[in-house]
Amino acid sequence: MLNCNVIAIDLAKNLFQVCKTQSNGKVIYNKTISRAKLKELLIKEQQSLVAMESCGGTHYWAQFAKQAGHQIKAINARQVKAFRQGQKTDANDALAISVAARQPHIKGSRLLSVQEQCLQGIECMRDLLVKQKVSLGNQLRALLLEFGYPIAQGDTKLTQAIPEILEDAENSLTGAFRFTINRVYQRFTEAVEEVKLIEKQLHEVIKEDQTCIRLQALEGVGPVCAILIKIALGNTTHFKNGREAA
């Protein structure tokens, strides 16, 4: 049992449900407050265990609470669900977070540093652009195949074929269709260039990151994989042993 108060926060965008309990589990308050009031509360409250579910906004509020002098525990939402009583309401959720935070067998989720968050964010946006690029390319290939234009795989093959098809005045493509294909093709080439620029930025960041440099020495690990491994396993103190990390 913890010897300090627990401030459990049911996270949201603007209005937050906050449940404060004593070391014996007695509820001091369970109320809804605004974002600005939550910041004031965390600054004014004496050192406590601030608990919340692992979800959007967790890292920001965990870092804010840590700077205010509190201990932090982020809990997987599935683990919190087992401690909720009654209907699913903000008040019941906040109370369930408070109860779950006191359980010694409930392990907190690993929290990323600001640098790790930024790396993760860059990789997420790169991955999104890659998916958009692939989706656009597949759409162009599928549509043009119906007109008898098979285009080989690869970005280079596509960027070579599309201009030739659009410039061929003797094919049966209508003006409106050519216009649409050209617009989608332009979006495709923009996505290709954006992916290259972001990957170049990632390479520059990795050059200054000793952990990523060491990880790339492993067989089959490139820049992107090195970043993902660092994000997943960067804080080794979160794992008891190698098996748990695996």
Side-chain angles (χ1 to χ4, degrees):
M1 182 66 71
L2 295 170
N3 293 322
C4 63
N5 294 333
V6 172
I7 300 175
I9 308 172
D10 185 29
L11 295 176
K13 290 184 178 180
N14 299 309
L15 295 178
F16 303 80
Q17 189 72 29
V18 181
C19 179
K20 180 180 178 181
T21 56
Q22 295 178 333
S23 57
N24 59 6
K26 182 180 178 181
V27 177
I28 301 174
Y29 58 74
N30 193 347
K31 60 184 179 180
T32 302
I33 60 177
S34 66
R35 176 178 287 269
K37 291 294 182 182
L38 177 57
K39 290 182 177 181
E40 293 179 9
L41 183 147
L42 291 174
I43 293 172
K44 292 178 180 179
E45 283 282 359
Q46 62 181 6
Q47 185 179 20
S48 305
L49 173 64
V50 175
M52 61 196 79
E53 287 182 335
S54 298
C55 60
T58 299
H59 285 94
Y60 172 80
W61 287 109
Q63 291 160 7
F64 186 92
K66 187 175 182 180
Q67 292 175 355
H70 300 288
Q71 301 176 55
I72 309 299
K73 189 171 186 179
I75 310 171
N76 188 294
R78 287 176 294 181
Q79 293 177 305
V80 173
K81 184 178 179 180
F83 296 93
R84 187 177 66 236
Q85 298 294 313
Q87 299 294 322
K88 179 172 174 56
T89 64
D90 291 345
N92 287 341
D93 284 348
L95 184 56
I97 294 170
S98 177
V99 175
R102 295 186 181 279
Q103 309 309 309
H105 67 286
I106 299 295
K107 183 179 180 179
S109 301
R110 189 171 75 85
L111 295 170
L112 303 180
S113 66
V114 173
Q115 182 191 29
E116 289 171 335
Q117 278 186 265
C118 291
L119 283 175
Q120 186 182 61
I122 295 172
E123 169 50 27
C124 284
M125 288 183 281
R126 186 202 71 87
D127 184 60
L128 174 61
L129 286 170
V130 169
K131 290 177 180 177
Q132 290 177 342
K133 174 180 72 71
V134 171
S135 179
L136 291 168
N138 289 341
Q139 180 74 86
L140 289 169
R141 285 189 174 88
L143 289 172
L144 291 171
L145 181 62
E146 296 296 327
F147 290 91
Y149 295 105
I151 302 175
Q153 293 298 313
D155 296 345
T156 302
K157 295 293 184 181
L158 187 62
T159 54
Q160 291 173 347
I162 297 292
E164 294 177 0
I165 294 171
L166 294 177
E167 291 171 6
D168 184 2
E170 297 181 0
N171 59 36
S172 60
L173 304 183
T174 65
F177 186 70
R178 290 174 189 272
F179 173 81
T180 305
I181 287 291
N182 183 57
R183 296 299 298 176
V184 174
Y185 172 67
Q186 295 300 323
R187 185 69 60 86
F188 170 80
T189 56
E190 289 172 3
V192 171
E193 291 303 315
E194 291 297 335
V195 169
K196 289 180 180 178
L197 288 173
I198 290 179
E199 288 182 343
K200 181 180 179 181
Q201 185 66 38
L202 277 176
H203 291 151
E204 293 297 322
V205 173
I206 289 172
K207 287 180 182 179
E208 302 175 0
D209 193 305
Q210 294 301 316
T211 300
C212 287
I213 293 173
R214 293 196 300 270
L215 286 170
Q216 288 183 86
L218 299 172
E219 183 178 355
V221 177
V224 174
C225 286
I227 289 173
L228 295 176
I229 294 172
K230 176 181 176 177
I231 292 169
L233 304 175
N235 183 5
T236 56
T237 59
H238 185 73
F239 307 101
K240 294 180 180 178
N241 48 49
R243 181 182 293 276
E244 188 174 276

